[in-house]
């Protein structure tokens, strides 16, 4: 808490001196969202031309930070090692319960449904389904994407992620394009989302709900 208070005070001082968010972030190593919250009542500094030397220093700081970020991620990835089936089971249950469709008492929908734009999450989820013995014949995959995007490219992309032929995908769901809305999910790297539905999955949904309940109960026992 003390360190955070000191960061806040330093951020406000640097902002009052006319520093940009990038410069404050480089100096403190905190997120821009935190900086924005701390200095939002201060006047926006006048636009200034950064000297070549200043740009070089900032570039060097950002390069060191990126190198540290890459090393930290690589070290953390190495800590995971080989997953056991039990570990993958628990990961999949958490993913499904966090991102999947939910059954409601007032609207019974005991179906295993999952949609996400993160390809790695989709791959983990599909590996989890394979662990549970869900065959490809029970899967229904569908791309959901804005109509202004490159739909065929998105279909090929998600088919590759899922390891299926594009013809295996169901008809793509197109989202209406609103030109008045400023979206950042555009460009060549935008592929929309992939929806993964499992047929005849009421019993599997109930098991998932039970697994999740077991996790919650065990965590409750471990809590002091």
């Amino acid at each position: 808490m003390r360190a955070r208070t000191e960061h806040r005070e330093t951020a406000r001082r640097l902002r009052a001196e006319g520093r940009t968010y990038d410069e404050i972030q480089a100096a403190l190593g905190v997120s821009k969202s935190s900086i924005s919250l701390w200095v939002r009542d201060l006047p926006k500094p006048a636009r200034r031309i950064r000297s070549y030397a200043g740009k070089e220093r900032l570039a060097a700081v950002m390069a060191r930070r990126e190198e540290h970020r890459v090393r930290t991620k690589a070290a953390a990835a190495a800590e995971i090692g080989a997953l056991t089936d039990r570990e993958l089971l628990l990961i999949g249950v958490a993913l499904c319960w966090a991102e999947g469709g939910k059954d409601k008492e007032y609207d019974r929908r005991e179906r295993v449904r999952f949609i996400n734009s993160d390809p790695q999450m989709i791959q983990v989820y599909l590996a989890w389904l394979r662990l549970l013995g869900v065959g490809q014949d029970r899967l229904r995959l569908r791309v959901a994407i804005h109509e202004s995007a490159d739909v065929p490219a998105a279909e090929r992309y998600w088919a590759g992620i899922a390891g299926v032929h594009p013809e295996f995908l169901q008809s793509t769901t197109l989202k209406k394009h609103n030109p008045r809305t400023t979206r950042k999910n555009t460009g060549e790297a935008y592929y929309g989302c992939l929806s993964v539905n499992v047929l005849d999955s009421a019993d599997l949904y109930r098991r998932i709900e039970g697994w999740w309940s077991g996790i919650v109960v065990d965590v409750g026992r471990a809590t002091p």
Side-chain angles (χ1 to χ4, degrees), residues 23-45:
E23 290 172 326
I24 298 174
Q25 184 182 43
L28 301 180
V30 297
S31 67
K32 288 186 180 180
S33 60
S34 294
I35 297 170
S36 175
L37 182 64
W38 293 338
V39 307
R40 61 185 176 184
D41 61 316
L42 298 179
K44 186 176 180 180

Side-chain angles (χ1 to χ4, degrees), residues 109-122:
R109 295 187 180 185
E110 294 181 314
R111 300 195 302 274
V112 179
R113 298 167 293 145
F114 188 85
I115 183 169
N116 210 273
S117 62
D118 186 329
Q120 294 175 330
M121 191 173 292
I122 291 291

Side-chain angles (χ1 to χ4, degrees), residues 20-183:
T20 65
Y21 281 13
D22 284 339
E23 290 172 326
I24 298 174
Q25 184 182 43
L28 301 180
V30 297
S31 67
K32 288 186 180 180
S33 60
S34 294
I35 297 170
S36 175
L37 182 64
W38 293 338
V39 307
R40 61 185 176 184
D41 61 316
L42 298 179
K44 186 176 180 180
R47 184 178 179 84
R48 57 190 174 85
I49 300 176
R50 185 182 293 137
S51 68
Y52 178 78
K55 291 180 180 179
E56 288 286 293
R57 286 195 298 272
L58 179 60
V61 170
M62 298 305 289
R64 287 196 298 271
R65 177 158 301 137
E66 181 60 25
E67 182 181 353
H68 177 70
R69 180 182 294 111
V70 170
R71 286 202 310 269
T72 301
K73 290 181 179 180
E79 291 173 0
I80 298 299
L83 292 177
T84 65
D85 287 350
R86 174 177 169 77
E87 289 168 339
L88 180 56
L89 171 66
L90 297 178
I91 290 170
V93 170
L95 274 184
C96 191
W97 203 249
E99 297 290 330
K102 304 292 193 304
D103 174 54
K104 307 293 183 183
E105 290 185 2
Y106 54 83
D107 186 14
R108 287 298 180 196
R109 295 187 180 185
E110 294 181 314
R111 300 195 302 274
V112 179
R113 298 167 293 145
F114 188 85
I115 183 169
N116 210 273
S117 62
D118 186 329
Q120 294 175 330
M121 191 173 292
I122 291 291
Q123 288 176 321
V124 171
Y125 181 74
L126 291 174
W128 176 69
L129 289 178
R130 289 193 295 271
L131 174 68
L132 298 180
V134 176
Q136 193 177 94
D137 59 313
R138 291 177 60 194
L139 297 183
R140 294 297 180 267
L141 309 181
R142 185 189 302 272
V143 176
I145 193 168
H146 283 86
E147 60 183 358
S148 58
D150 187 341
V151 176
E155 293 171 342
R156 291 191 299 271
Y157 173 80
W158 285 115
I161 293 297
V164 299
H165 192 277
E167 292 182 358
F168 181 81
L169 303 177
Q170 293 187 300
S171 298
T172 296
T173 298
L174 297 178
K175 304 176 186 179
K176 292 292 184 182
H177 175 62
N178 185 352
R180 292 176 297 179
T181 301
T182 302
R183 296 190 295 111

Side-chain angles (χ1 to χ4, degrees), residues 1-15:
M1 181 64 71
R2 180 180 178 183
R4 190 169 183 82
T5 300
E6 292 177 352
H7 280 158
R8 179 180 181 277
E9 293 174 352
T10 303
R12 290 181 62 81
R13 175 177 58 78
L14 293 175
R15 187 62 167 175

